[in-house]
Amino acid sequence: MAVELDHLFICVARGAPEAERLIQFGFTEGPRNVHPGQGTANRRFFFHNGMLELLWVENPAEAQSDSTAPSQLWQRWSNRSSGACPFGVILRPAAPESASVPFAARKFRPQWLPPDLTIYVADVGLDEPMWAFMPFLERRRQRQELITHSNGAREMTRVTLTTPAPLRSAPDDVIAVQPGPGHLMTIEFDHGSRHTALDARPHLPLIIQL
């Protein structure tokens, strides 16, 4: 399937205090964002080929609205400490001409999105990540020119999800998956060439390999 990773999200506490651990490790925070009508907000870290998003529910009423319901973001965020997978994996076409949806999906048209665009969300349970395909996205290299990281990180070269449940919708060759006792995301940057790592647990289910 001609898709590639665009960005990842992790559901976190309101205001994302977990971001401070990443900043201490040498990552530079990008501009924050809110999603009008969807009820969520985020703190973001941009890289040469993608983005890491720390996501929370800012407005519970909007997050539980009919328009947001297809995303299951409210259920995923509010149950992140009781078994729901806190991760999202957002994919884009690898080339402009390859925009077919890579999994069985439901349509999601949040209020912040122009009406002629659609997000496709995989029809899976909360025990695996939210898989989303945005056919209108393109690689945004200019972000790396605007944001550099003091730890030298440039490009996400491998993402591994450790999961207690088998994943039914993971597209091949986008991320690696391995079984484990709990939900954990491991992101390798620049092929681990600096031989340093950050284990952000227990505050954030994330390991950085740099």
Side-chain angles (χ1 to χ4, degrees):
M1 297 179 186
V3 298
E4 61 186 11
L5 179 66
D6 185 84
H7 66 279
L8 305 158
F9 75 70
I10 305 176
C11 292
V12 297
R14 188 172 183 178
E18 299 92 336
E20 301 307 319
R21 188 74 180 92
L22 300 180
I23 293 170
Q24 292 170 5
F25 190 63
F27 288 114
T28 301
E29 183 177 358
R32 304 184 188 192
N33 192 26
V34 296
H35 305 107
Q38 183 175 293
T40 56
N42 63 30
R43 296 176 70 173
R44 302 181 292 177
F45 297 85
F46 294 102
F47 307 100
H48 183 72
N49 62 337
M51 185 245 303
L52 175 62
E53 174 183 14
L54 303 185
L55 182 77
W56 70 89
V57 168
E58 183 71 20
N59 186 318
E62 289 183 352
Q64 296 175 79
S65 67
D66 291 342
S67 62
T68 308
S71 70
Q72 295 185 307
L73 283 169
W74 167 254
Q75 294 92 331
R76 188 173 300 282
W77 179 80
S78 61
N79 293 290
R80 67 190 186 282
S81 299
S82 55
C85 179
F87 305 139
V89 181
I90 290 75
L91 306 176
R92 63 184 177 228
E97 65 274 9
S98 60
S100 59
V101 183
F103 37 62
R106 51 184 178 267
K107 294 181 179 180
F108 176 39
R109 294 189 175 95
Q111 293 183 24
W112 55 266
L113 193 68
D116 58 329
L117 301 181
T118 300
I119 298 171
Y120 296 89
V121 178
D123 191 12
V124 298
L126 296 174
D127 58 340
E128 66 175 285
M130 173 181 168
W131 300 93
F133 177 62
M134 299 186 182
F136 48 86
L137 292 180
E138 297 179 359
R139 182 176 291 200
R140 294 158 287 198
R141 292 182 179 274
Q142 69 274 14
R143 287 178 173 169
Q144 181 63 20
E145 297 174 4
L146 298 174
I147 299 176
T148 58
H149 304 281
S150 63
N151 60 22
R154 286 183 52 83
E155 186 164 312
M156 294 186 289
T157 49
R158 183 177 176 86
V159 177
T160 303
L161 294 184
T162 302
T163 171
L167 302 189
R168 299 176 293 278
S169 300
D172 294 339
D173 302 324
V174 176
I175 62 173
V177 178
Q178 63 184 22
H183 298 290
L184 177 66
M185 179 183 291
T186 303
I187 306 176
E188 175 198 81
F189 288 91
D190 308 315
H191 303 285
S193 58
R194 295 169 184 84
H195 306 289
T196 186
L198 167 70
D199 188 336
R201 295 174 292 180
H203 305 293
L204 193 62
L206 175 68
I207 293 176
I208 299 291
Q209 297 174 341
L210 188 62

